[in-house]
Amino acid sequence: LAKTTQPISMDSYEGQEVNITCSHNNIATNDYITWYQQFPSQGPRFIIQGYKTKVTNEVASLFIPADRKSSTLSLPRVSLSDTAVYYCLVGVGDYKLSFGAGTTVTVRA
Amino acid sequence: GAVVSQHPSWVICKSGTSVKIECRSLDFQATTMFWYRQFPKQSLMLMATSNEGSKATYEQGVEKDKFLINHASLTLSTLTVTSAHPEDSSFYICSARVADLAKNIQYFGAGTRLSVL
């Protein structure tokens, strides 16, 4: 499994855009990049997944440069309810998911 | 998205008793489910991989005789914590993998908070 590195924490204010960058220098050709969100005392929730370039859904956007050694999760106009831990994972197929420490995003009023 | 139901959400038990946690995929079939444990302020740790119709695969350091996993159908996996002790108190989370191996998206249950007295 490709090891990932992301910031431990980020602070933001309501209405701002939050960008979390994840480094995965050893990503393999077949690996997808997946982001999960976890609120306290809840299971993680799938947010978005991508392979290259840009992916957008109703919740977030995922930007992946050509070399795929990093990715950036973008949360537009965050609200207090977006306060959570965000995990970046890289892997494929039968590989087990390995959760790192994640990024704790705190949104303030 | 796919829905995974986990039950119970919270359980308190006496030391030495056994506790069973159920994990169901509600609108899809899951040949593979996973069980995680999460301690306060820590990340998720994979305990075992549960495959329908076969024995579970446990991660290093996880006692298979203490954490019994049964995956008897394509929609149900159970984790039984046998002879629970206070150090087993934790947040247990299951997940199910949606088909399409290339993408390996897992959907998670809401978790079970286990408190052993």
Side-chain angles (χ1 to χ4, degrees):
Chain A
L1 287 172
K3 179 179 172 59
T4 60
T5 303
Q6 52 184 122
I8 295 297
S9 64
M10 296 182 72
D11 288 344
S12 184
Y13 290 91
E14 283 189 293
Q16 290 188 335
E17 179 181 79
V18 172
N19 297 304
I20 310 170
T21 297
C22 178
S23 298
H24 27 80
N25 291 320
N26 297 322
I27 189 169
T29 302
N30 295 332
D31 285 345
Y32 280 78
I33 301 156
T34 311
W35 286 80
Y36 291 85
Q37 173 193 56
Q38 185 182 28
F39 297 113
S41 297
Q42 293 188 29
R45 180 175 77 111
F46 169 79
I47 301 177
I48 196 166
Q49 184 184 70
Y51 184 80
K52 62 181 180 180
T53 62
K54 176 184 175 182
V55 179
T56 297
N57 61 22
E58 63 278 5
V59 176
S61 294
L62 179 59
F63 299 92
I64 306 168
D67 66 5
R68 302 200 330 119
K69 294 184 182 300
S70 67
S71 59
T72 298
L73 174 73
S74 181
L75 306 172
R77 299 180 298 283
V78 295
S79 64
L80 296 176
S81 62
D82 292 315
T83 294
V85 179
Y86 293 82
Y87 296 98
C88 163
L89 290 97
V90 176
V92 66
D94 253 350
Y95 289 178
K96 300 168 287 191
L97 293 182
S98 178
F99 283 81
T103 298
T104 299
V105 173
T106 303
V107 181
R108 305 179 194 282
Chain B
V3 178
V4 175
S5 174
Q6 189 172 339
H7 178 80
S9 57
W10 188 31
V11 58
I12 302 174
C13 70
K14 293 182 179 180
S15 185
T17 61
S18 295
V19 174
K20 179 184 284 187
I21 303 170
E22 292 188 348
C23 180
R24 295 180 184 273
S25 56
L26 296 187
D27 51 1
F28 67 100
Q29 293 183 331
T31 55
T32 304
M33 290 185 174
F34 302 86
W35 288 95
Y36 297 82
R37 181 167 52 184
Q38 186 174 34
F39 292 106
K41 303 294 184 182
Q42 295 187 22
S43 187
L44 285 77
M45 286 196 322
L46 179 65
M47 298 175 65
T49 302
S50 168
N51 295 295
E52 186 268 337
S54 65
K55 292 184 178 180
T57 303
Y58 292 81
E59 295 301 299
Q60 191 172 7
V62 178
E63 300 175 56
K64 63 179 181 180
D65 294 330
K66 179 166 188 63
F67 299 99
L68 299 179
I69 292 173
N70 183 277
H71 194 157
S73 77
L74 287 172
T75 59
L76 174 64
S77 176
T78 61
L79 168 69
T80 300
V81 183
T82 62
S83 187
H85 288 96
E87 59 265 29
D88 298 322
S89 297
S90 188
F91 190 54
Y92 293 86
I93 311 169
C94 71
S95 73
R97 190 182 68 193
V98 178
D100 187 349
L101 294 179
K103 294 185 177 181
N104 194 22
I105 295 175
Q106 292 185 22
Y107 290 89
F108 289 79
T112 297
R113 174 77 57 195
L114 172 63
S115 296
V116 185
L117 305 178

